[in-house]
Amino acid sequence: MSKSAITKGGSNNWPQATAKRAQPGVPSGRDKGVRDKGVRVKSSAAKSSATPAQVYDQLRLRIATRTYPPGTRLSETDLAAEFGLSRTPVRQALQLLAADGLVSIKNGVGVTVTDLDRTEIDQAYHLRCELAAMIGSNSPRPLDPAQMAEIESVRRGVMALLKQSGRPALDEFSELCERFHNVVNHVIGSRMLRNFIEILYHQTDRFWFGWMERADIRVEVTHFLHEIEETQRALEIEDYQAVGYIRRNHITMMLARMAQVREAEAAQA
């Protein structure tokens, strides 16, 4: 990328995002399963039948949206009570988050939501661009008809979002982005490459939400529509190299837009 859209103006200069993607049967909110500065916050949520995968997804979302900001301590016991599970599957979900670098687990300290400094943020986005360009050269696989239909479903959802009056809903936009990301990742034949891309995607999630809070979200949704349609055309002719370059180019262009906003804000300060 030609500009560092991340490091200008400070590393964590992001407002707390408020968007939340609710999942059926999974409660959400900052007052559940959290220890703020070591103080236990009682959960009033009824027990649910959430699976370990849902616990992982929901906690990851809360970290992404900064419902759990960096430094928040998570209680295994409280989370188990919230989700209606034993501590074992909750511990497994937390270990997955730790493998993604989203929390740290230390004896005597517990589980703490991590943060990235300026250099790490910049590196994460740079690596996402580099790895995206490798998608077409690491045993790419064609998508099946159901997966192609899912991409079309996402495209129609984005079209519907753009037809909404006023500011498009961030929670709907983020869900569509994740669906698209997940289905296109099926192209990646290399398990190791796919895992690295997933980890970096989740690492940068929380900064993406912060950016959306200050960006012209309608412009961002429009750019996302272009990415979907370009990817569809590449997939239709099985040009997997193009699929990777399309993703890389759209990440780079988003970073350039972020840099422009920060430069404009700095000039007005």
Side-chain angles (χ1 to χ4, degrees):
M1 67 190 76
S2 59
K3 295 183 180 179
S4 173
I6 303 300
T7 59
K8 295 183 180 179
S11 63
N12 300 318
N13 186 25
W14 299 95
Q16 180 170 320
T18 56
K20 302 176 180 67
R21 289 198 299 275
Q23 297 183 5
V26 182
S28 63
R30 191 167 184 268
D31 61 340
K32 305 175 182 68
V34 185
R35 292 181 186 273
D36 287 335
K37 299 181 180 179
V39 178
R40 180 172 179 173
V41 181
K42 184 178 180 180
S43 171
S44 59
K47 288 190 176 181
S48 71
S49 56
T51 65
Q54 285 179 311
V55 175
Y56 167 79
D57 287 340
Q58 185 64 21
L59 295 181
R60 180 173 59 78
L61 177 62
R62 294 177 190 178
I63 293 170
T65 58
R66 290 182 175 253
T67 301
Y68 293 166
T72 300
R73 282 189 282 167
L74 305 181
S75 164
E76 187 178 293
T77 301
D78 292 348
L79 288 169
E82 174 190 345
F83 290 104
L85 299 169
S86 69
R87 292 176 61 179
T88 298
V90 171
R91 186 179 302 117
Q92 292 171 343
L94 292 172
Q95 288 170 342
L96 289 173
L97 291 170
D100 287 349
L102 298 177
V103 302
S104 66
I105 303 176
K106 296 181 179 179
N107 292 333
V109 177
V111 181
T112 307
V113 177
T114 61
D115 198 3
L116 297 177
D117 62 26
R118 288 183 296 180
T119 300
E120 290 171 327
I121 298 166
D122 193 52
Q123 289 173 344
Y125 274 106
H126 178 74
L127 285 171
R128 281 190 64 190
C129 292
E130 294 299 315
L131 293 178
M134 298 171 63
I135 288 175
S137 58
N138 282 265
S139 306
R141 305 173 297 186
L143 298 187
D144 61 33
Q147 291 164 335
M148 292 295 291
E150 168 68 357
I151 293 178
E152 176 60 19
S153 174
V154 171
R155 189 188 72 84
R156 292 180 181 179
V158 173
M159 292 288 291
L161 199 58
L162 287 171
K163 291 179 181 178
Q164 293 179 2
S165 59
R167 180 180 171 87
L170 179 56
D171 57 345
E172 294 180 36
F173 181 32
S174 63
E175 181 177 359
L176 291 165
C177 287
E178 183 140 344
R179 285 172 58 192
F180 178 71
H181 172 84
N182 289 342
V183 70
V184 173
N185 274 6
H186 285 287
V187 168
I188 306 170
S190 166
R191 180 177 60 84
M192 185 173 293
L193 177 61
R194 187 167 57 251
N195 288 345
F196 279 134
I197 286 175
E198 281 293 325
I199 289 171
L200 290 169
Y201 179 79
H202 296 156
Q203 280 281 5
T204 56
D205 233 4
R206 55 188 123 174
F207 302 101
W208 181 89
F209 273 94
W211 158 241
M212 288 301 118
E213 286 290 318
R214 62 201 295 185
D216 184 335
I217 193 169
R218 185 169 292 277
V219 169
E220 296 304 316
V221 174
T222 301
H223 282 294
F224 180 47
L225 176 62
H226 296 163
E227 180 181 359
I228 294 170
E229 293 176 339
E230 292 166 18
T231 301
Q232 283 180 308
R233 289 192 288 271
L235 288 170
E236 286 167 0
I237 61 173
E238 299 187 356
D239 187 345
Y240 305 115
Q241 196 77 38
V243 170
Y245 285 131
I246 289 165
R247 175 177 285 184
R248 184 198 65 180
N249 292 345
H250 277 273
I251 294 172
T252 302
M253 288 188 289
M254 183 192 74
L255 296 178
R257 293 193 297 275
M258 292 168 70
Q260 290 175 349
V261 169
R262 288 194 168 188
E263 288 170 0
E265 291 174 348
Q268 294 173 0

